[in-house]
Amino acid sequence: MRIGFAGTPVFASTALQALIDAGHDIAVVLTQPDRPAGRGMKLQASPVKMLALDHALPVLQPRSLRLDGKYPDDAGAARQALQQAAPELLVVAAYGLILPQWVLDLPPRGCLNIHGSLLPRWRGAAPIQRAIEAGDRETGITIMQMDAGLDTGDMLLEAALPIAPDATSASLHDELAALGARLIVDALAAAALVRRPQPADGVTYAHKIEKAEAAIDWRRPAAELERRVRAFDPFPGCSFELDGVTHKVWRAEVDSSASGQPGEVLQAADGRLVIACGAGALSLRQLQQPGGRRVDVAAWLQSNPGLAGRRLATPAA
């Protein structure tokens, strides 16, 4: 099939590689403009762009697709290029730009989205993180016929995936990326797919992860904070303040046998750092100091002695 593809991160490039391997004719690839990244803040191409260039595929990088928006020249050029490429269908995976109606209407077979949840649960920008944060036991991939709403289109194909008790957003992302790649290939190979409207019940929204959410509020239950630590790995990472310095927490375990005032350091010796929470306590296992790397708690404690009995601050309400 002659298709267009729109995507930006590794989640999307995994699907694009699968479509290439399946022998589809990729007429055009849309991805986000190059962004500054790394310590040198040099412009860096997206994983989708790098893969597309490796396969000599035509790449479009408009800043917007809205003809009446801030960058009408970008949108107009993209529209002309898409019309010339004439894809039968557009596959979309974590693209990062809203598709206006003219894009949805352009391919004769419409636009299919690879969404990282079992819709209608976790519509929106951060379905992987929010599923872990909420303590969901499973998630999955939905192949959806796109419409003008926010992940509201009819479902074509779904596959579930259990969420491991120790899953992070990084590990679950990789599992879902592989599943999404397989499912979109299956969807395009199917002789016919039944379109099913999404149920009206069970709708939840996976709001974008904000950096402000990173600060650990020790007044929250330990189980909730442990899930958030995993959900925010690798971005933005959970953190706490110690003597005005921000430290990140990358792995933690619930200690239901310990208790104290929220933020109280109950133990800081023998390779254990246990902090009281609103319910139970959190045993921090892997941390990171500014400018450093992730280390186990024993190594971190060597650089931060004498914490037992201290009270860690909680974010302002």
Side-chain angles (χ1 to χ4, degrees):
M1 188 182 300
R2 184 174 174 81
I3 64 175
F5 186 88
T8 299
V10 171
F11 183 89
S13 65
T14 305
L16 177 58
Q17 183 66 65
L19 293 169
I20 293 169
D21 293 344
H24 290 285
D25 176 14
I26 313 298
V28 65
V29 172
L30 290 91
T31 191
Q32 289 263 2
D34 297 358
R35 306 288 191 200
R39 291 188 177 181
M41 296 300 287
K42 294 181 179 179
L43 287 178
Q44 183 172 318
S46 73
V48 164
K49 179 181 178 179
M50 291 189 286
L51 177 61
L53 295 179
D54 285 345
H55 290 272
L57 301 175
V59 175
L60 303 177
Q61 294 181 272
R63 290 168 291 180
S64 171
L65 291 168
R66 292 181 57 88
L67 296 170
D68 59 349
K70 186 176 180 180
Y71 304 105
D73 291 343
D74 280 30
R79 183 177 190 176
Q80 184 176 6
L82 278 169
Q83 289 171 335
Q84 291 175 346
E88 299 174 59
L89 177 143
L90 182 67
V91 173
V92 183
Y95 177 34
L97 289 183
I98 294 174
L99 302 188
Q101 194 63 45
W102 72 261
V103 178
L104 299 175
D105 293 340
L106 192 146
R109 297 183 62 176
C111 303
L112 298 189
N113 179 242
I114 307 171
H115 187 76
S117 79
L118 299 175
L119 291 170
R121 185 162 178 80
W122 301 129
R123 294 173 179 172
I128 298 174
Q129 295 93 330
R130 298 306 184 190
I132 293 175
E133 185 183 23
D136 290 1
R137 293 181 179 271
E138 71 171 7
T139 184
I141 292 289
T142 304
I143 305 298
M144 175 192 69
Q145 190 83 41
M146 295 182 71
D147 61 15
L150 177 62
D151 299 326
T152 56
D154 291 346
M155 301 181 296
L156 300 175
L157 205 58
E158 279 188 305
L161 182 74
I163 300 177
D166 61 349
T168 65
S169 285
S171 65
L172 186 56
H173 165 278
D174 292 348
E175 292 183 86
L176 287 171
L179 179 59
R182 177 174 64 81
L183 221 60
I184 190 61
V185 171
D186 291 348
L188 297 190
L193 290 172
V194 177
R195 292 177 57 160
R196 294 176 294 119
Q198 293 186 34
D201 296 332
V203 175
T204 58
Y205 288 93
H207 299 289
K208 180 182 177 181
I209 304 295
E210 303 290 347
K211 287 186 178 181
E213 297 181 70
I216 295 175
D217 185 345
W218 302 107
R219 295 166 294 191
R220 307 302 305 167
E224 178 184 312
L225 295 177
E226 186 274 336
R227 294 195 303 268
R228 181 168 281 204
V229 167
R230 291 186 288 111
F232 288 8
D233 181 357
F235 176 84
C238 283
S239 62
F240 64 91
E241 295 288 324
L242 178 62
D243 297 329
V245 177
T246 300
H247 298 257
K248 290 196 173 184
V249 179
W250 295 113
R251 196 168 74 245
E253 298 172 357
V254 175
D255 187 341
S256 55
S257 65
S259 63
Q261 293 299 311
E264 180 184 355
V265 180
L266 302 176
Q267 183 176 348
D270 302 323
R272 283 175 57 79
L273 177 59
V274 181
I275 315 297
C277 303
L282 204 61
S283 177
L284 310 188
R285 307 300 299 165
Q286 187 182 65
L287 301 97
Q288 183 180 16
Q289 299 186 138
R293 57 184 178 84
R294 300 186 186 194
V295 298
D296 64 35
V297 65
W300 187 89
L301 283 171
Q302 289 179 356
S303 302
N304 299 275
L307 295 181
R310 291 188 58 179
R311 187 90 174 265
L312 301 179
T314 57

